[in-house]
Amino acid sequence: GITWFPLLMYFYEKAAKNKKIVYGVLAGLPIGLMFLSGNPQIALYGLLSAVLFFLFRTFFNLKLLLFPMLSIIIGLSLAAIQVAPSLEFSNFSVRSGGLSYEFASDFSLHPYQLITLFLPHFFGSPLLQNTYWGISGNFWELSLYSGVLPLILATIAIIHKRNKYVLFFAILLLFSLMFSFGRFFYLFKFFYDFVPGFDLFRAPARILFLFSFSLAILAGFGTTIKENKYFKSFLFILIAIFATTATILIYINTNSKQIINFIASKGYALGNNLE
């Protein structure tokens, strides 16, 4: 479902820019494919974000609401062969009355795991002799790493490239990160309690694909800044990241014995050789 999200954003951008209904029609295709992917949670997060992007781009012009409405109708019609029976069968699911908060907030991103922005394998990896010991035991959905250079470029874009795109994707980046904290932050609890449908899904960290997408867009804008005066910002951020990483690595090396014992005590690090 994630793979179709950029195409949906592209068609909504073209629709907002050119104000041609054909792009609203074409946007129905990725919507339908997102819902046919088998993960309605990803489709819902992606669709809501794309619609908000379109409204933001058109300054909430109600006359242009026809475009996203038409695309949603077309998309759901294309996916109706799966969506309709899924809605019917959902009445017999354990989720029909909503999930408990404890279950819905499972696979929340712990703030400690922000370190994976800089060190993707800090908590180990299931591919490295099954050494993963991170919280929740879910390596794939709880790792934030997108590269150090994109972080630097995105930060420069937020500081120096003030336009509507940077503003929207900076907000989306921050929102998706705070939402992914799940039980460790109040934002997910608010949506769980007050926004219909959000009590039907678990794993708040699955929204992090919006974080990665927003970071990529912001990094792209960061590459368009050519003024030499911004080189100082680039250099300062780079030094800060390397200093933070070096401090962490020194701490790990100094306390390696205690850390290894901690890893060995975790149930997720099974059958690994910790010599």
Side-chain angles (χ1 to χ4, degrees):
I2 295 172
T3 59
W4 298 108
F5 176 68
L7 183 61
L8 174 58
M9 294 291 282
Y10 171 77
F11 284 138
Y12 274 174
E13 165 63 15
K14 296 289 285 185
K17 186 176 181 179
N18 299 322
K19 296 180 176 55
K20 292 184 178 180
I21 197 168
V22 63
Y23 294 111
V25 174
L26 290 173
L29 179 61
I31 292 176
L33 292 170
M34 286 170 68
F35 278 95
L36 285 172
S37 69
N39 195 320
Q41 182 179 9
I42 296 297
L44 177 64
Y45 291 164
L47 180 58
L48 289 177
S49 302
V51 171
L52 285 175
F53 170 74
F54 180 84
L55 294 176
F56 183 85
R57 278 285 284 111
T58 56
F59 302 100
F60 294 86
N61 188 336
L62 297 180
K63 294 181 180 179
L64 297 178
L65 273 178
L66 174 64
F67 292 176
M69 290 176 60
L70 180 62
S71 66
I72 293 172
I73 292 173
I74 293 174
L76 292 180
S77 298
L78 291 173
I81 192 172
Q82 177 171 301
V83 172
S86 295
L87 289 174
E88 180 182 353
F89 294 148
S90 66
N91 295 322
F92 305 97
S93 167
V94 294
R95 304 188 184 206
S96 59
L99 300 174
S100 68
Y101 178 73
E102 290 71 23
F103 186 71
S105 61
D106 199 12
F107 297 127
S108 297
L109 182 75
H110 195 286
Y112 289 160
Q113 290 174 289
L114 289 175
I115 195 174
T116 59
L117 278 169
F118 313 105
L119 300 171
H121 293 121
F122 178 82
F123 294 102
S125 168
L127 301 178
L128 302 174
Q129 299 181 351
N130 198 26
T131 56
Y132 185 69
W133 55 278
I135 299 169
S136 298
N138 188 327
F139 175 81
W140 296 275
E141 293 184 313
L142 297 174
S143 294
L144 285 172
Y145 188 74
S146 297
V148 173
L149 185 58
L151 282 174
I152 296 172
L153 293 172
T155 305
I156 291 175
I158 291 172
I159 295 173
H160 298 297
K161 193 80 171 180
R162 297 183 179 90
N163 62 35
K164 54 180 177 272
Y165 297 104
V166 171
L167 175 60
F168 178 84
F169 287 108
I171 293 173
L172 184 60
L173 179 119
L174 183 61
F175 172 84
S176 57
L177 182 62
M178 292 190 299
F179 185 92
S180 72
F181 288 151
R183 68 182 62 167
F184 304 113
F185 195 63
Y186 67 88
L187 187 60
F188 174 75
K189 185 67 164 60
F190 174 83
F191 275 80
Y192 174 85
D193 287 337
F194 300 108
V195 182
F198 279 82
D199 61 343
L200 300 177
F201 303 111
R202 67 190 297 221
R206 285 179 185 155
I207 203 173
L208 285 174
F209 79 93
L210 296 176
F211 175 88
S212 299
F213 182 83
S214 299
L215 184 64
I217 296 296
L218 292 171
F221 278 107
T223 63
T224 65
I225 299 175
K226 301 178 181 179
E227 290 83 350
N228 291 332
K229 63 180 179 178
Y230 299 143
F231 177 75
K232 293 182 179 179
S233 299
F234 180 91
L235 189 61
F236 175 79
I237 298 169
L238 185 63
I239 292 173
I241 289 176
F242 276 106
T244 303
T245 305
T247 302
I248 293 170
L249 292 176
I250 291 172
Y251 174 82
I252 292 173
N253 185 60
T254 305
N255 301 275
S256 59
K257 193 170 185 179
Q258 294 90 325
I259 291 174
I260 288 175
N261 289 335
F262 179 70
I263 294 173
S265 68
K266 292 292 181 179
Y268 308 120
L270 299 175
N272 53 354
N273 184 0
L274 294 175
E275 293 181 358

